[in-house]
Amino acid sequence: SVLQCLAYTAPLQNYCSDPDCHSATCQFEQYCVLCDLENVLQQLLETKQAVVEPGLLARHVRVVAKQFQPNEQQDSHEYLRHLTEAAQKCVLRGLGELPKEIKDTTVFHQIFGGHLRSQVVCGNCRYESNTFDLFLDLSLEIERCDSITMSLDHFTREEQLCTSNEYKCDKCLAKTRATKRMTIHRLPNVLCLQLKRFDMMRMFAGKISKPVTFPETLDVSRFCSEPQEVVGSSVYKLNAITVHSGVTLRSGHYYAYVRTRGDTWHCMNDNMVRQVPLREVLAQQGYILFYTRHDGAACQEPRQP
C-alpha cells in the first residue's frame, strides 16, 4: 500500500521519470534499494501488465530494515520510515562525511521534508528560545480527537512548564514557569500524516478503530509558526491514503486509495483495482494520509494507473 501511495505522489513521479534520477547514474554493484524503488514506481506507472510484483524489494526487505522478515506482517508506517531512510543512504553513498545541512537537501527531503519549531517562552522575562527539527512525517494522536484538525490542534497546543517541570531561562537564568509550543515552521511539498491507530499499551498493540474525519483540502496555516509569513501556499490536497484492515498491529491487511489525473480516485487492494467516488475515500479509517501542496511542482496531477 505504501508503494502504491508513493507511485501516485506527483513530485516523486517527476523525479523517477527524470533522465538524471539516481538509477541512471548509480554504479553500486550490490543491491541498491533506491534503484529498485525507482524501477518499481516506474513499472507501476508505465507498464501494460495487469499486476506489478515488487519481488526484489520484498526479498531484500532486511536491507530496508534489519528487523523486518520476508513474508511477515509489518507496520506500513514503520516500513515507510525505514524505506525513506534506506533511500537516503543510497543517495549519499560514496560522498564521504557531509554536514547535516547538505544531507537534508536530498530528493526525499525536498519532497517530504519540513521543519518543526519548538518555542519556549520564559514566564519571567518573556525571552523566546527556539529549536528547529527536520521532519518527513507527523504522527498525530487520535484517541481524544475526532478529526485531523483536532489532532493538529493537539499536536500544536501550548504546554505549561511549571512546578516539577520548571524551565531555566537562558537569558534571565531564573527557574520559572514557561510555555512551550510546537509548530510547523517550514512546510513540505508533500505532507505525510500518520494517525496513531495502534496503542502499544493494549494487548498485542490493539488498534484504535474509530472514525477520524479528514478533508479533501487541508489548510494548515493556523498550525504554522508565523501564518502570515508562510512562503507559498499553506493549502494541501489529499493525494493518497493507506488503510489497515484488522484489529492489531501485527495482523490484518493494508490497502490504498490514490488520486489520479482528473481527480479520479482508485482503490488499490493487492491485484484488485477499482475506481471509487471521493465519498468512499473520505469515509475510510485512514492510517497514513498523503497531502500534496497547492503550489509549484507539487501541484501537478498524478498520472493515471
Side-chain angles (χ1 to χ4, degrees), residues 53-115:
E53 294 186 15
L56 281 176
L57 268 177
R59 288 195 293 274
H60 290 85
V61 69
R62 296 199 71 216
V63 177
V64 174
K66 290 182 179 179
Q67 69 269 33
F68 288 174
Q69 296 294 334
N71 303 316
E72 283 189 4
Q73 176 80 25
Q74 307 294 343
D75 175 27
S76 64
H77 178 245
E78 190 178 1
Y79 179 75
L80 175 61
R81 282 196 163 180
H82 284 294
L83 183 63
T84 53
E85 184 180 328
Q88 168 86 343
K89 290 178 180 177
C90 294
V91 174
L92 301 175
R93 186 191 295 124
L95 298 180
E97 207 49 49
L98 295 172
K100 185 176 184 300
E101 293 76 14
I102 301 298
K103 292 181 180 180
D104 292 349
T105 61
T106 62
V107 61
F108 280 91
H109 287 91
Q110 290 178 35
I111 294 173
F112 298 100
H115 282 91

Side-chain angles (χ1 to χ4, degrees), residues 144-186:
R144 298 180 182 85
C145 303
D146 297 326
S147 68
I148 287 298
T149 51
M150 286 180 67
S151 293
L152 285 166
D153 275 327
H154 182 273
F155 185 84
T156 59
R157 77 191 189 286
E158 189 173 89
E159 177 187 353
Q160 299 293 325
L161 304 180
C162 54
T163 59
S164 62
N165 197 26
E166 279 188 337
Y167 167 73
K168 184 175 180 179
C169 180
D170 291 336
K171 185 177 181 181
C172 69
L173 303 180
K175 255 196 130 176
T176 181
R177 296 189 175 196
T179 58
K180 180 180 179 181
R181 187 181 180 220
M182 186 86 74
T183 50
I184 304 173
H185 195 71
R186 184 178 69 81

Side-chain angles (χ1 to χ4, degrees), residues 260-296:
T260 61
R261 192 176 298 278
D263 281 344
T264 303
W265 281 89
H266 290 81
C267 176
M268 298 193 166
N269 192 345
D270 291 338
N271 62 340
M272 301 294 294
V273 178
R274 60 185 177 87
Q275 187 172 327
V276 298
L278 175 62
R279 64 177 179 275
E280 178 176 326
V281 180
L282 299 181
Q284 298 303 308
Q285 290 186 15
Y287 180 45
I288 308 175
L289 312 178
F290 295 80
Y291 279 92
T292 303
R293 200 173 183 186
H294 256 226
D295 64 356

